[in-house]
Amino acid sequence: MNPPSLILILCEGTTEKLYFESIIHNMRIGGVDILENQGQHKILINRCTEERKKCSEKNDIDEDDIEVWAVCDHDGMKISYQELLEYASERNVKLAFSKPRFEAYLLQHFCCRKNIKGKYLDECLSKKVLEYCGNEYSKSNLGWIDRMVDCTPQKIEHAIGNANNLNNHTEKFFLTVQKLTEKLIGLKK
C-alpha cells in the first residue's frame, strides 16, 4: 500500500495541534497539514470530510490519496466511543482519541498512569513537566515536547507503548491518539 500524498489532521483544540506540530517540525516530516479548533466529535468528523474535499481540489489530488485524522477527546461526548468510531469509519476518517482528555496522553510520556482521577490529571502532568524541564504544564505552551523530541526521543516511543496499554474504551483512561504519533514517526525522513 502506497503512503498517502498528504495527511490532514483536524484537531478539536489548540493543545493537540501544538503537540503534533512539534513532532512534525522536530522530526522533519513533510506532507502534513494541521488545523485546530475544528469542533467536537461528529462535527469534527464532518469538518474532516469537508477539508479533505477542499484540500483535494486545491492540490489537485484524489481524495483517496489524503489520509484524514480527527483528534478529539471524551470531554462533552454525547454518544459512545463505538458510535463515534463507526461514524468516522463510514466517512473514511481515522480517529485519534483521548479519554478523558488529551492530557492523559501527554502524561504517558512520563509514566503509564491509568487510574488517576480527571481532576488530578493536570496537577500530575504539571508536576511531571516541572520535574522534566523546570516549567509547569500549560495547554498553550508545549515547548517541553520540542526538547523531548530533540534530547530524549525515546520518551515519545515510551508514550506510544504506555498508551497502547490503555486500549479498553470502557476504562477511565483510553487512548488511540498514539496511533497518529506512530504514523507520523513512520514518515520521518
Side-chain angles (χ1 to χ4, degrees):
M1 182 174 192
N2 292 330
S5 298
L6 179 71
I7 294 179
L8 184 58
I9 303 170
L10 278 77
C11 300
E12 184 178 87
T14 303
T15 307
E16 297 90 341
K17 181 179 188 252
L18 291 172
Y19 177 83
F20 287 111
E21 280 179 338
S22 181
I23 297 291
I24 290 162
H25 173 75
N26 288 294
M27 293 189 175
R28 294 166 183 79
I29 300 166
V32 181
D33 285 343
I34 306 175
L35 301 172
E36 67 182 311
N37 298 321
Q38 296 298 307
Q40 287 188 309
H41 312 116
K42 284 186 173 182
I43 292 169
L44 176 63
I45 292 165
N46 292 338
R47 291 282 299 136
C48 285
T49 59
E50 293 165 13
E51 288 299 325
R52 177 176 41 220
K53 184 174 175 63
K54 283 183 198 174
C55 197
S56 169
E57 292 167 357
K58 177 182 169 190
N59 296 298
D60 196 29
I61 330 175
D62 191 282
E63 282 190 51
D64 291 337
D65 290 333
I66 302 171
E67 186 173 305
V68 186
W69 288 79
V71 182
C72 60
D73 59 33
H74 191 260
D75 262 358
M77 250 176 84
K78 294 179 178 33
I79 61 172
S80 72
Y81 169 75
Q82 200 59 42
E83 289 172 295
L84 186 64
L85 181 62
E86 288 170 17
Y87 190 80
S89 183
E90 288 166 0
R91 286 151 184 81
N92 196 25
V93 173
K94 296 182 183 284
L95 196 56
F97 189 79
S98 306
K99 179 182 175 185
R101 300 187 328 269
F102 189 69
E103 285 75 11
Y105 177 60
L106 295 177
L107 185 59
Q108 303 312 307
H109 291 72
F110 301 103
C111 58
C112 185
R113 295 293 300 263
K114 51 184 157 188
N115 59 0
I116 195 165
K117 292 188 178 174
K119 64 182 181 178
Y120 299 112
L121 182 58
D122 289 342
E123 184 181 311
C124 185
L125 180 59
S126 193
K127 181 181 175 189
K128 294 293 185 183
V129 172
L130 186 62
E131 289 170 4
Y132 180 73
C133 67
N135 298 321
E136 288 197 16
Y137 170 70
S138 164
K139 288 175 96 48
S140 61
N141 181 357
L142 297 187
W144 58 273
I145 288 289
D146 290 333
R147 177 179 172 196
M148 188 176 280
V149 173
D150 284 342
C151 302
T152 52
Q154 66 275 15
K155 284 192 172 283
I156 305 297
E157 296 291 338
H158 291 150
I160 292 168
N162 289 340
N164 282 338
N165 291 324
L166 303 173
N167 60 5
N168 182 343
H169 70 91
T170 64
E171 297 290 330
K172 286 183 182 178
F173 272 30
F174 168 65
L175 302 167
T176 67
V177 69
Q178 73 276 11
K179 303 297 182 197
L180 176 52
T181 306
E182 273 182 310
K183 173 72 177 191
L184 295 172
I185 290 172
L187 299 173
K188 187 168 83 166
K189 294 179 181 178

